[in-house]
Amino acid sequence: MPVILKLYIRLVDGFNRRVGRFVMYGIFVMMAILLWSSFSKTFMTPSMWTLEMAQFAMVTYYILGGPYSVQMGSNVRMDLFYGEWTLRQRAMVDAMTVFFLIFYLAILIHGAVGSSAYALGHFGVEPYSFYRDLVWAFLTGGKEAANEVLGYIERSPTAWRPVLWPIKLIMLLGFILMLLQAVSELLKDIARIRGVDY
Amino acid sequence: MSYEMIAILMFSTMMLMLMTGQRVFGAIGFVGVLAAVFLWGTGGSDIGFSAAMKLMKWYPLLTLPMFIFMGYVLSESKIADDLYKMFHVWMGPVRGGLAIGTILLMVLISAMNGLSVAGMAIGATIALPELLKRGYDKRMVTGVIQAGSSLGILVPPSVVLVLYAMIARQPVGQLWLAGVFPGLMMAAMFILYVVIRCRIQPELGPALPEADRDISREEKMKLLRAGLLPIVIFATMMVPFVNGWTSLVESSAIGAITAFVAAVVKGRMTREVFENSVRSTLGISCMFMWIILAALGFGAVFDGLGAVKAIDDLFTEQLGLDPWMILILMQLSFILMGTFLDDTAMLVIVAPLYVPLVKVLGFDLIWYGVLYTITTQIAYMTPPFGYNLFLMRAMAPSEVTLKDIYRSIVPFVAVMILALTLVMIFPQIALWLPNYVYGK
């Protein structure tokens, strides 16, 4: 296998592993938020931010943790036939069917790009050029110029009214990492077909 | 192409994709977004991501990682060992008593946890070797443990009912209460089966010999204290919830924290246990969440097609079946699917298809939630593919072969089908408690 591909696998797997091992402690963040929520509800005025904060924590937890769960092999497969195959046969089928996954992730990413642009105030149908303009404005004119490009910032329709772009960007990042991981799995399968152990 | 055809095409494509053994969420998600793009063009390409936003806003889903974490803490830290000892000493002198004790142990574990994994792990690693040593029939014992641990998803708190609630848009609290009596009834039926079987064939479950029973009264009383743990955990979760001090989600977090603290206090929270529970929680939570994400996308397309109405028409108008016939057919096909489909996948695939149909037919969705859960339990245990079967194989000592495990579940599945039929005929078994508590 070319060195560059080996490097890709090492980088992507290593990075996703670290991200996953970091967000895995998010379970305690969720617990803390919910504990505070019940505490404040019982003894003080209920906090407004806990419900949505817990939801944001959960989304971060499972989306950024996704690639690591793929590495751990936690994602169930229907093993009616799969379970009977040899490792090589599995790698061959996986190397083809992983494109279903890649297609699905690509559509998810496309949706996330559009929705994040909407959250930043772009209501048109050209989210990619919106980002290009945004980055270009920031590079040439600094923060103020970038502010010009931004439109009405989307907020959640609740009492707390948090802005929604951070969580949408986290989701976008998670889907991209998942896509990188899927490609890494594909490369590993190709290596296995060629008899290299991975 | 008619909508029925598209729906059937989508469903069969999904089955085909699943057969290839690709990750379940990838296969379901792929068919969902492909159909959306194909049907509605660029507008349809957002459906995949909208599902992620829908999932985020579905608050009760937060209970899922909490209960998974709790289950791992309970099973990894082995704080439930003392519970087994308690039942061992108290139930041992009776014929088949250790098997009965194991079922009771499973009921207690079910009340602390919403998945069957914890009960399975505790049963297979603690109870199973002990029972085999005492000369119990290995087939009966493995059957007892599998059947008992499946109660975890029926007795509250239950993760399966949380997922069902999300799909059926029903209140989780009522669903949980609806699971109480069917769960206890089923446990009682398992016990009855063991008692009768051991009366006819005493060699299957010999009573403890005199020498082993020689334990002072004081010692026996001391062991009863082990029973406090599940009561404390159950109470810290359910008391604030039932009184309306905390929401369901907050209660689940309190339960998870209580289990964690209990493990720390008992000195069982070693570095290894901590690492294993936290990491496995992430893995299992991600597995569930990504499948739900994909299934929501798939379901949205399905809803958009009006596929359910089409299927309903097909059954009631064209085939002329009455609602009960359809319901029975649905449960039968569900059990059948359970024998060859992966259970988690089945859970999220079957519910979006069946639940709207049940609603159109005019049945109570809380009641159907219980039927659904019992059927899932059966599916968990039926060969060749059952979550519990594989867990059992992975955890049981080597003298228990896969064939033993397959054979062991037969009588218990029969008991469960009987329980399912009873709940179908007498909906009050499930509905009395929620109606009483919520004053309907």
Side-chain angles (χ1 to χ4, degrees), chain A residues 21 24 31 37 41 61-62 74 76-78 80 97-98 100 115, chain B residues 17 21-24 49 69 250 275 278 282 287 289-290 341 385:
Chain A
R21 298 222 29 113
M24 105 186 163
M31 276 194 234
S37 170
K41 203 189 257 176
Y61 180 72
Y62 91 89
S74 315
V76 287
R77 300 160 179 274
M78 209 174 101
L80 182 55
T97 57
V98 79
F100 303 152
S115 189
Chain B
M17 298 279 153
Q22 182 50 258
R23 293 164 190 85
V24 167
F49 185 75
F69 181 67
E250 288 156 359
E275 157 74 19
V278 174
L282 179 82
M287 185 262 294
M289 302 277 199
W290 281 84
L341 251 182
F385 294 99

PDB file of all heavy atoms in Angstrom, chain A residues 21 24 31 37 41 61-62 74 76-78 80 97-98 100 115, chain B residues 17 21-24 49 69 250 275 278 282 287 289-290 341 385:
ATOM      1  N   ARG A  21     -12.353   9.188  22.439  1.00  0.00           N
ATOM      2  CA  ARG A  21     -11.981   8.969  23.839  1.00  0.00           C
ATOM      3  C   ARG A  21     -12.236  10.219  24.665  1.00  0.00           C
ATOM      4  O   ARG A  21     -12.423  10.132  25.876  1.00  0.00           O
ATOM      5  CB  ARG A  21     -10.520   8.528  23.964  1.00  0.00           C
ATOM      6  CG  ARG A  21     -10.271   7.234  23.274  1.00  0.00           C
ATOM      7  CD  ARG A  21      -9.385   6.250  23.998  1.00  0.00           C
ATOM      8  NE  ARG A  21      -9.366   6.288  25.425  1.00  0.00           N
ATOM      9  CZ  ARG A  21      -9.836   5.327  26.211  1.00  0.00           C
ATOM     10  NH1 ARG A  21     -10.395   4.269  25.682  1.00  0.00           N
ATOM     11  NH2 ARG A  21      -9.732   5.424  27.493  1.00  0.00           N
ATOM     12  N   MET A  24     -16.219  10.476  25.096  1.00  0.00           N
ATOM     13  CA  MET A  24     -16.830   9.378  25.840  1.00  0.00           C
ATOM     14  C   MET A  24     -17.082   9.779  27.298  1.00  0.00           C
ATOM     15  O   MET A  24     -17.992   9.259  27.930  1.00  0.00           O
ATOM     16  CB  MET A  24     -15.984   8.120  25.700  1.00  0.00           C
ATOM     17  CG  MET A  24     -15.158   7.671  26.833  1.00  0.00           C
ATOM     18  SD  MET A  24     -14.155   6.268  26.306  1.00  0.00           S
ATOM     19  CE  MET A  24     -12.945   6.299  27.615  1.00  0.00           C
ATOM     20  N   MET A  31     -24.851  13.760  32.755  1.00  0.00           N
ATOM     21  CA  MET A  31     -25.348  13.474  34.108  1.00  0.00           C
ATOM     22  C   MET A  31     -25.323  14.729  34.961  1.00  0.00           C
ATOM     23  O   MET A  31     -26.270  15.012  35.692  1.00  0.00           O
ATOM     24  CB  MET A  31     -24.470  12.419  34.764  1.00  0.00           C
ATOM     25  CG  MET A  31     -24.844  11.025  34.402  1.00  0.00           C
ATOM     26  SD  MET A  31     -24.003   9.942  35.538  1.00  0.00           S
ATOM     27  CE  MET A  31     -23.182   8.880  34.458  1.00  0.00           C
ATOM     28  N   SER A  37     -30.208  20.141  36.851  1.00  0.00           N
ATOM     29  CA  SER A  37     -31.567  20.448  36.448  1.00  0.00           C
ATOM     30  C   SER A  37     -32.561  20.008  37.519  1.00  0.00           C
ATOM     31  O   SER A  37     -33.424  20.784  37.936  1.00  0.00           O
ATOM     32  CB  SER A  37     -31.865  19.754  35.125  1.00  0.00           C
ATOM     33  OG  SER A  37     -33.215  19.843  34.810  1.00  0.00           O
ATOM     34  N   LYS A  41     -34.599  22.528  40.049  1.00  0.00           N
ATOM     35  CA  LYS A  41     -36.044  22.473  39.926  1.00  0.00           C
ATOM     36  C   LYS A  41     -36.695  22.260  41.290  1.00  0.00           C
ATOM     37  O   LYS A  41     -37.731  22.834  41.598  1.00  0.00           O
ATOM     38  CB  LYS A  41     -36.396  21.305  39.003  1.00  0.00           C
ATOM     39  CG  LYS A  41     -37.738  21.419  38.338  1.00  0.00           C
ATOM     40  CD  LYS A  41     -38.069  20.142  37.641  1.00  0.00           C
ATOM     41  CE  LYS A  41     -37.883  20.209  36.150  1.00  0.00           C
ATOM     42  NZ  LYS A  41     -38.121  18.919  35.519  1.00  0.00           N
ATOM     43  N   TYR A  61     -22.091  13.955  21.864  1.00  0.00           N
ATOM     44  CA  TYR A  61     -21.634  12.655  22.349  1.00  0.00           C
ATOM     45  C   TYR A  61     -21.740  11.583  21.265  1.00  0.00           C
ATOM     46  O   TYR A  61     -20.783  10.912  20.946  1.00  0.00           O
ATOM     47  CB  TYR A  61     -22.486  12.289  23.557  1.00  0.00           C
ATOM     48  CG  TYR A  61     -22.184  10.972  24.223  1.00  0.00           C
ATOM     49  CD1 TYR A  61     -21.024  10.807  24.970  1.00  0.00           C
ATOM     50  CD2 TYR A  61     -23.077   9.910  24.139  1.00  0.00           C
ATOM     51  CE1 TYR A  61     -20.776   9.606  25.609  1.00  0.00           C
ATOM     52  CE2 TYR A  61     -22.835   8.713  24.773  1.00  0.00           C
ATOM     53  CZ  TYR A  61     -21.673   8.566  25.511  1.00  0.00           C
ATOM     54  OH  TYR A  61     -21.428   7.374  26.136  1.00  0.00           O
ATOM     55  N   TYR A  62     -22.925  11.480  20.661  1.00  0.00           N
ATOM     56  CA  TYR A  62     -23.080  10.353  19.735  1.00  0.00           C
ATOM     57  C   TYR A  62     -22.542  10.639  18.346  1.00  0.00           C
ATOM     58  O   TYR A  62     -22.087   9.727  17.658  1.00  0.00           O
ATOM     59  CB  TYR A  62     -24.528   9.844  19.709  1.00  0.00           C
ATOM     60  CG  TYR A  62     -25.446  10.466  18.677  1.00  0.00           C
ATOM     61  CD1 TYR A  62     -25.563   9.923  17.398  1.00  0.00           C
ATOM     62  CD2 TYR A  62     -26.225  11.569  18.984  1.00  0.00           C
ATOM     63  CE1 TYR A  62     -26.410  10.481  16.462  1.00  0.00           C
ATOM     64  CE2 TYR A  62     -27.078  12.124  18.051  1.00  0.00           C
ATOM     65  CZ  TYR A  62     -27.162  11.577  16.803  1.00  0.00           C
ATOM     66  OH  TYR A  62     -28.002  12.126  15.873  1.00  0.00           O
ATOM     67  N   SER A  74     -18.628  -1.476  17.159  1.00  0.00           N
ATOM     68  CA  SER A  74     -19.874  -1.552  17.938  1.00  0.00           C
ATOM     69  C   SER A  74     -21.112  -1.555  17.058  1.00  0.00           C
ATOM     70  O   SER A  74     -22.181  -1.901  17.520  1.00  0.00           O
ATOM     71  CB  SER A  74     -19.998  -0.360  18.886  1.00  0.00           C
ATOM     72  OG  SER A  74     -18.801  -0.129  19.541  1.00  0.00           O
ATOM     73  N   VAL A  76     -23.866  -2.668  14.842  1.00  0.00           N
ATOM     74  CA  VAL A  76     -24.355  -4.005  14.498  1.00  0.00           C
ATOM     75  C   VAL A  76     -24.519  -4.160  13.000  1.00  0.00           C
ATOM     76  O   VAL A  76     -24.805  -3.212  12.279  1.00  0.00           O
ATOM     77  CB  VAL A  76     -25.705  -4.332  15.171  1.00  0.00           C
ATOM     78  CG1 VAL A  76     -25.505  -4.571  16.629  1.00  0.00           C
ATOM     79  CG2 VAL A  76     -26.729  -3.262  14.894  1.00  0.00           C
ATOM     80  N   ARG A  77     -24.314  -5.363  12.562  1.00  0.00           N
ATOM     81  CA  ARG A  77     -24.550  -5.742  11.178  1.00  0.00           C
ATOM     82  C   ARG A  77     -25.508  -6.907  11.221  1.00  0.00           C
ATOM     83  O   ARG A  77     -25.577  -7.621  12.210  1.00  0.00           O
ATOM     84  CB  ARG A  77     -23.247  -6.220  10.536  1.00  0.00           C
ATOM     85  CG  ARG A  77     -22.144  -5.183  10.512  1.00  0.00           C
ATOM     86  CD  ARG A  77     -20.840  -5.943  10.319  1.00  0.00           C
ATOM     87  NE  ARG A  77     -19.689  -5.053  10.245  1.00  0.00           N
ATOM     88  CZ  ARG A  77     -19.264  -4.464   9.143  1.00  0.00           C
ATOM     89  NH1 ARG A  77     -19.905  -4.659   8.013  1.00  0.00           N
ATOM     90  NH2 ARG A  77     -18.204  -3.699   9.161  1.00  0.00           N
ATOM     91  N   MET A  78     -26.237  -7.098  10.139  1.00  0.00           N
ATOM     92  CA  MET A  78     -27.069  -8.281  10.082  1.00  0.00           C
ATOM     93  C   MET A  78     -26.184  -9.431   9.639  1.00  0.00           C
ATOM     94  O   MET A  78     -25.691  -9.440   8.517  1.00  0.00           O
ATOM     95  CB  MET A  78     -28.197  -8.061   9.089  1.00  0.00           C
ATOM     96  CG  MET A  78     -29.385  -8.870   9.479  1.00  0.00           C
ATOM     97  SD  MET A  78     -30.733  -8.499   8.437  1.00  0.00           S
ATOM     98  CE  MET A  78     -30.637  -9.892   7.371  1.00  0.00           C
ATOM     99  N   LEU A  80     -26.652 -12.672   9.133  1.00  0.00           N
ATOM    100  CA  LEU A  80     -27.232 -13.912   8.615  1.00  0.00           C
ATOM    101  C   LEU A  80     -26.239 -14.647   7.709  1.00  0.00           C
ATOM    102  O   LEU A  80     -25.946 -15.819   7.892  1.00  0.00           O
ATOM    103  CB  LEU A  80     -28.515 -13.583   7.849  1.00  0.00           C
ATOM    104  CG  LEU A  80     -29.296 -14.747   7.268  1.00  0.00           C
ATOM    105  CD1 LEU A  80     -29.633 -15.774   8.320  1.00  0.00           C
ATOM    106  CD2 LEU A  80     -30.572 -14.242   6.618  1.00  0.00           C
ATOM    107  N   THR A  97     -19.907  -2.471  -0.272  1.00  0.00           N
ATOM    108  CA  THR A  97     -21.101  -1.907   0.380  1.00  0.00           C
ATOM    109  C   THR A  97     -20.792  -0.664   1.199  1.00  0.00           C
ATOM    110  O   THR A  97     -21.702   0.076   1.558  1.00  0.00           O
ATOM    111  CB  THR A  97     -21.774  -2.945   1.295  1.00  0.00           C
ATOM    112  OG1 THR A  97     -20.822  -3.400   2.246  1.00  0.00           O
ATOM    113  CG2 THR A  97     -22.309  -4.102   0.506  1.00  0.00           C
ATOM    114  N   VAL A  98     -19.503  -0.425   1.490  1.00  0.00           N
ATOM    115  CA  VAL A  98     -19.178   0.770   2.271  1.00  0.00           C
ATOM    116  C   VAL A  98     -19.561   2.023   1.479  1.00  0.00           C
ATOM    117  O   VAL A  98     -19.777   3.089   2.054  1.00  0.00           O
ATOM    118  CB  VAL A  98     -17.688   0.771   2.678  1.00  0.00           C
ATOM    119  CG1 VAL A  98     -16.805   1.202   1.535  1.00  0.00           C
ATOM    120  CG2 VAL A  98     -17.456   1.657   3.885  1.00  0.00           C
ATOM    121  N   PHE A 100     -22.421   2.509   0.149  1.00  0.00           N
ATOM    122  CA  PHE A 100     -23.758   2.902   0.627  1.00  0.00           C
ATOM    123  C   PHE A 100     -23.597   3.888   1.768  1.00  0.00           C
ATOM    124  O   PHE A 100     -24.247   4.923   1.837  1.00  0.00           O
ATOM    125  CB  PHE A 100     -24.557   1.716   1.184  1.00  0.00           C
ATOM    126  CG  PHE A 100     -24.752   0.572   0.248  1.00  0.00           C
ATOM    127  CD1 PHE A 100     -24.920  -0.708   0.742  1.00  0.00           C
ATOM    128  CD2 PHE A 100     -24.794   0.762  -1.125  1.00  0.00           C
ATOM    129  CE1 PHE A 100     -25.118  -1.779  -0.099  1.00  0.00           C
ATOM    130  CE2 PHE A 100     -24.996  -0.299  -1.982  1.00  0.00           C
ATOM    131  CZ  PHE A 100     -25.152  -1.572  -1.458  1.00  0.00           C
ATOM    132  N   SER A 115     -28.046  23.456   6.333  1.00  0.00           N
ATOM    133  CA  SER A 115     -28.717  23.842   7.557  1.00  0.00           C
ATOM    134  C   SER A 115     -27.845  24.765   8.407  1.00  0.00           C
ATOM    135  O   SER A 115     -28.355  25.691   9.047  1.00  0.00           O
ATOM    136  CB  SER A 115     -29.077  22.588   8.348  1.00  0.00           C
ATOM    137  OG  SER A 115     -29.888  22.902   9.430  1.00  0.00           O
TER     138      SER A 115
ATOM    139  N   MET B  17     -30.068  -4.766   1.237  1.00  0.00           N
ATOM    140  CA  MET B  17     -28.871  -4.076   1.717  1.00  0.00           C
ATOM    141  C   MET B  17     -28.428  -4.657   3.054  1.00  0.00           C
ATOM    142  O   MET B  17     -27.246  -4.839   3.310  1.00  0.00           O
ATOM    143  CB  MET B  17     -29.152  -2.586   1.925  1.00  0.00           C
ATOM    144  CG  MET B  17     -29.538  -1.853   0.678  1.00  0.00           C
ATOM    145  SD  MET B  17     -28.094  -1.428  -0.245  1.00  0.00           S
ATOM    146  CE  MET B  17     -28.752  -1.371  -1.872  1.00  0.00           C
ATOM    147  N   GLY B  21     -24.657  -7.377   5.011  1.00  0.00           N
ATOM    148  CA  GLY B  21     -23.847  -7.329   6.219  1.00  0.00           C
ATOM    149  C   GLY B  21     -23.182  -5.989   6.452  1.00  0.00           C
ATOM    150  O   GLY B  21     -22.342  -5.862   7.335  1.00  0.00           O
ATOM    151  N   GLN B  22     -23.536  -4.984   5.662  1.00  0.00           N
ATOM    152  CA  GLN B  22     -23.013  -3.638   5.959  1.00  0.00           C
ATOM    153  C   GLN B  22     -23.646  -3.170   7.271  1.00  0.00           C
ATOM    154  O   GLN B  22     -24.691  -3.669   7.669  1.00  0.00           O
ATOM    155  CB  GLN B  22     -23.341  -2.688   4.806  1.00  0.00           C
ATOM    156  CG  GLN B  22     -22.815  -1.268   4.955  1.00  0.00           C
ATOM    157  CD  GLN B  22     -21.332  -1.188   5.325  1.00  0.00           C
ATOM    158  OE1 GLN B  22     -20.983  -0.952   6.459  1.00  0.00           O
ATOM    159  NE2 GLN B  22     -20.452  -1.417   4.360  1.00  0.00           N
ATOM    160  N   ARG B  23     -22.989  -2.207   7.920  1.00  0.00           N
ATOM    161  CA  ARG B  23     -23.525  -1.690   9.184  1.00  0.00           C
ATOM    162  C   ARG B  23     -24.982  -1.292   8.990  1.00  0.00           C
ATOM    163  O   ARG B  23     -25.313  -0.623   8.000  1.00  0.00           O
ATOM    164  CB  ARG B  23     -22.713  -0.485   9.646  1.00  0.00           C
ATOM    165  CG  ARG B  23     -21.308  -0.848  10.026  1.00  0.00           C
ATOM    166  CD  ARG B  23     -20.411   0.362  10.115  1.00  0.00           C
ATOM    167  NE  ARG B  23     -19.017  -0.051  10.252  1.00  0.00           N
ATOM    168  CZ  ARG B  23     -18.231  -0.346   9.224  1.00  0.00           C
ATOM    169  NH1 ARG B  23     -18.683  -0.270   7.991  1.00  0.00           N
ATOM    170  NH2 ARG B  23     -16.994  -0.726   9.430  1.00  0.00           N
ATOM    171  N   VAL B  24     -25.804  -1.675   9.943  1.00  0.00           N
ATOM    172  CA  VAL B  24     -27.248  -1.499   9.785  1.00  0.00           C
ATOM    173  C   VAL B  24     -27.627  -0.047   9.502  1.00  0.00           C
ATOM    174  O   VAL B  24     -28.428   0.237   8.616  1.00  0.00           O
ATOM    175  CB  VAL B  24     -27.981  -2.026  11.042  1.00  0.00           C
ATOM    176  CG1 VAL B  24     -29.416  -1.574  11.057  1.00  0.00           C
ATOM    177  CG2 VAL B  24     -27.908  -3.537  11.084  1.00  0.00           C
ATOM    178  N   PHE B  49     -30.586  14.977   7.162  1.00  0.00           N
ATOM    179  CA  PHE B  49     -30.141  15.855   8.236  1.00  0.00           C
ATOM    180  C   PHE B  49     -31.298  16.293   9.134  1.00  0.00           C
ATOM    181  O   PHE B  49     -31.116  16.435  10.346  1.00  0.00           O
ATOM    182  CB  PHE B  49     -29.413  17.083   7.668  1.00  0.00           C
ATOM    183  CG  PHE B  49     -28.839  17.957   8.744  1.00  0.00           C
ATOM    184  CD1 PHE B  49     -27.700  17.554   9.421  1.00  0.00           C
ATOM    185  CD2 PHE B  49     -29.440  19.147   9.106  1.00  0.00           C
ATOM    186  CE1 PHE B  49     -27.166  18.324  10.438  1.00  0.00           C
ATOM    187  CE2 PHE B  49     -28.918  19.931  10.117  1.00  0.00           C
ATOM    188  CZ  PHE B  49     -27.772  19.522  10.778  1.00  0.00           C
ATOM    189  N   PHE B  69     -25.284   3.134  30.590  1.00  0.00           N
ATOM    190  CA  PHE B  69     -24.184   3.318  31.543  1.00  0.00           C
ATOM    191  C   PHE B  69     -24.468   2.576  32.847  1.00  0.00           C
ATOM    192  O   PHE B  69     -23.626   1.852  33.383  1.00  0.00           O
ATOM    193  CB  PHE B  69     -23.974   4.810  31.816  1.00  0.00           C
ATOM    194  CG  PHE B  69     -22.855   5.095  32.769  1.00  0.00           C
ATOM    195  CD1 PHE B  69     -21.536   4.833  32.413  1.00  0.00           C
ATOM    196  CD2 PHE B  69     -23.106   5.604  34.030  1.00  0.00           C
ATOM    197  CE1 PHE B  69     -20.509   5.089  33.289  1.00  0.00           C
ATOM    198  CE2 PHE B  69     -22.080   5.860  34.915  1.00  0.00           C
ATOM    199  CZ  PHE B  69     -20.776   5.605  34.550  1.00  0.00           C
ATOM    200  N   GLU B 250     -34.343  13.220  33.959  1.00  0.00           N
ATOM    201  CA  GLU B 250     -33.562  13.546  35.152  1.00  0.00           C
ATOM    202  C   GLU B 250     -33.480  12.347  36.086  1.00  0.00           C
ATOM    203  O   GLU B 250     -32.432  12.067  36.679  1.00  0.00           O
ATOM    204  CB  GLU B 250     -34.194  14.752  35.860  1.00  0.00           C
ATOM    205  CG  GLU B 250     -33.990  16.043  35.099  1.00  0.00           C
ATOM    206  CD  GLU B 250     -35.019  17.105  35.418  1.00  0.00           C
ATOM    207  OE1 GLU B 250     -35.932  16.839  36.225  1.00  0.00           O
ATOM    208  OE2 GLU B 250     -34.919  18.196  34.853  1.00  0.00           O
ATOM    209  N   GLU B 275     -13.098   2.258  32.989  1.00  0.00           N
ATOM    210  CA  GLU B 275     -12.772   2.354  31.558  1.00  0.00           C
ATOM    211  C   GLU B 275     -13.763   1.534  30.722  1.00  0.00           C
ATOM    212  O   GLU B 275     -14.316   2.029  29.743  1.00  0.00           O
ATOM    213  CB  GLU B 275     -11.326   1.865  31.356  1.00  0.00           C
ATOM    214  CG  GLU B 275     -10.965   1.381  29.950  1.00  0.00           C
ATOM    215  CD  GLU B 275     -10.816   2.504  28.941  1.00  0.00           C
ATOM    216  OE1 GLU B 275     -10.635   3.655  29.378  1.00  0.00           O
ATOM    217  OE2 GLU B 275     -10.896   2.218  27.731  1.00  0.00           O
ATOM    218  N   VAL B 278     -17.381   3.124  30.734  1.00  0.00           N
ATOM    219  CA  VAL B 278     -17.497   4.380  29.989  1.00  0.00           C
ATOM    220  C   VAL B 278     -17.343   4.134  28.492  1.00  0.00           C
ATOM    221  O   VAL B 278     -18.105   4.657  27.678  1.00  0.00           O
ATOM    222  CB  VAL B 278     -16.455   5.407  30.494  1.00  0.00           C
ATOM    223  CG1 VAL B 278     -16.474   6.646  29.628  1.00  0.00           C
ATOM    224  CG2 VAL B 278     -16.736   5.781  31.928  1.00  0.00           C
ATOM    225  N   LEU B 282     -20.308   4.388  25.377  1.00  0.00           N
ATOM    226  CA  LEU B 282     -20.201   5.172  24.146  1.00  0.00           C
ATOM    227  C   LEU B 282     -20.512   4.293  22.937  1.00  0.00           C
ATOM    228  O   LEU B 282     -21.300   4.669  22.065  1.00  0.00           O
ATOM    229  CB  LEU B 282     -18.803   5.784  23.993  1.00  0.00           C
ATOM    230  CG  LEU B 282     -18.637   6.600  22.710  1.00  0.00           C
ATOM    231  CD1 LEU B 282     -19.191   7.993  22.881  1.00  0.00           C
ATOM    232  CD2 LEU B 282     -17.194   6.661  22.261  1.00  0.00           C
ATOM    233  N   MET B 287     -24.177   3.095  18.637  1.00  0.00           N
ATOM    234  CA  MET B 287     -24.826   2.095  17.796  1.00  0.00           C
ATOM    235  C   MET B 287     -26.318   2.397  17.704  1.00  0.00           C
ATOM    236  O   MET B 287     -26.880   2.480  16.615  1.00  0.00           O
ATOM    237  CB  MET B 287     -24.564   0.721  18.411  1.00  0.00           C
ATOM    238  CG  MET B 287     -25.040  -0.446  17.628  1.00  0.00           C
ATOM    239  SD  MET B 287     -26.613  -1.092  18.144  1.00  0.00           S
ATOM    240  CE  MET B 287     -26.325  -1.734  19.754  1.00  0.00           C
ATOM    241  N   MET B 289     -27.985   5.245  18.529  1.00  0.00           N
ATOM    242  CA  MET B 289     -28.342   6.578  18.033  1.00  0.00           C
ATOM    243  C   MET B 289     -28.200   6.672  16.522  1.00  0.00           C
ATOM    244  O   MET B 289     -29.036   7.285  15.858  1.00  0.00           O
ATOM    245  CB  MET B 289     -27.453   7.641  18.670  1.00  0.00           C
ATOM    246  CG  MET B 289     -27.529   7.660  20.165  1.00  0.00           C
ATOM    247  SD  MET B 289     -28.927   8.597  20.735  1.00  0.00           S
ATOM    248  CE  MET B 289     -28.464   8.912  22.403  1.00  0.00           C
ATOM    249  N   TRP B 290     -27.133   6.096  15.982  1.00  0.00           N
ATOM    250  CA  TRP B 290     -26.952   6.192  14.528  1.00  0.00           C
ATOM    251  C   TRP B 290     -28.030   5.401  13.799  1.00  0.00           C
ATOM    252  O   TRP B 290     -28.496   5.803  12.733  1.00  0.00           O
ATOM    253  CB  TRP B 290     -25.545   5.737  14.113  1.00  0.00           C
ATOM    254  CG  TRP B 290     -24.510   6.787  14.356  1.00  0.00           C
ATOM    255  CD1 TRP B 290     -23.864   7.032  15.533  1.00  0.00           C
ATOM    256  CD2 TRP B 290     -24.019   7.771  13.423  1.00  0.00           C
ATOM    257  NE1 TRP B 290     -23.000   8.091  15.382  1.00  0.00           N
ATOM    258  CE2 TRP B 290     -23.073   8.555  14.111  1.00  0.00           C
ATOM    259  CE3 TRP B 290     -24.291   8.044  12.082  1.00  0.00           C
ATOM    260  CZ2 TRP B 290     -22.390   9.610  13.493  1.00  0.00           C
ATOM    261  CZ3 TRP B 290     -23.614   9.086  11.472  1.00  0.00           C
ATOM    262  CH2 TRP B 290     -22.676   9.860  12.172  1.00  0.00           C
ATOM    263  N   LEU B 341     -33.769 -11.665  11.707  1.00  0.00           N
ATOM    264  CA  LEU B 341     -33.273 -10.295  11.623  1.00  0.00           C
ATOM    265  C   LEU B 341     -32.498  -9.938  12.877  1.00  0.00           C
ATOM    266  O   LEU B 341     -32.817 -10.430  13.950  1.00  0.00           O
ATOM    267  CB  LEU B 341     -34.458  -9.330  11.513  1.00  0.00           C
ATOM    268  CG  LEU B 341     -34.703  -8.620  10.193  1.00  0.00           C
ATOM    269  CD1 LEU B 341     -35.880  -7.689  10.343  1.00  0.00           C
ATOM    270  CD2 LEU B 341     -33.489  -7.853   9.755  1.00  0.00           C
ATOM    271  N   PHE B 385     -30.991 -16.205  15.178  1.00  0.00           N
ATOM    272  CA  PHE B 385     -30.399 -14.938  15.574  1.00  0.00           C
ATOM    273  C   PHE B 385     -31.134 -14.326  16.730  1.00  0.00           C
ATOM    274  O   PHE B 385     -32.275 -13.927  16.598  1.00  0.00           O
ATOM    275  CB  PHE B 385     -30.364 -13.965  14.391  1.00  0.00           C
ATOM    276  CG  PHE B 385     -29.450 -14.481  13.366  1.00  0.00           C
ATOM    277  CD1 PHE B 385     -29.923 -15.151  12.275  1.00  0.00           C
ATOM    278  CD2 PHE B 385     -28.092 -14.368  13.548  1.00  0.00           C
ATOM    279  CE1 PHE B 385     -29.064 -15.690  11.352  1.00  0.00           C
ATOM    280  CE2 PHE B 385     -27.218 -14.897  12.629  1.00  0.00           C
ATOM    281  CZ  PHE B 385     -27.708 -15.562  11.529  1.00  0.00           C
TER     282      PHE B 385
END
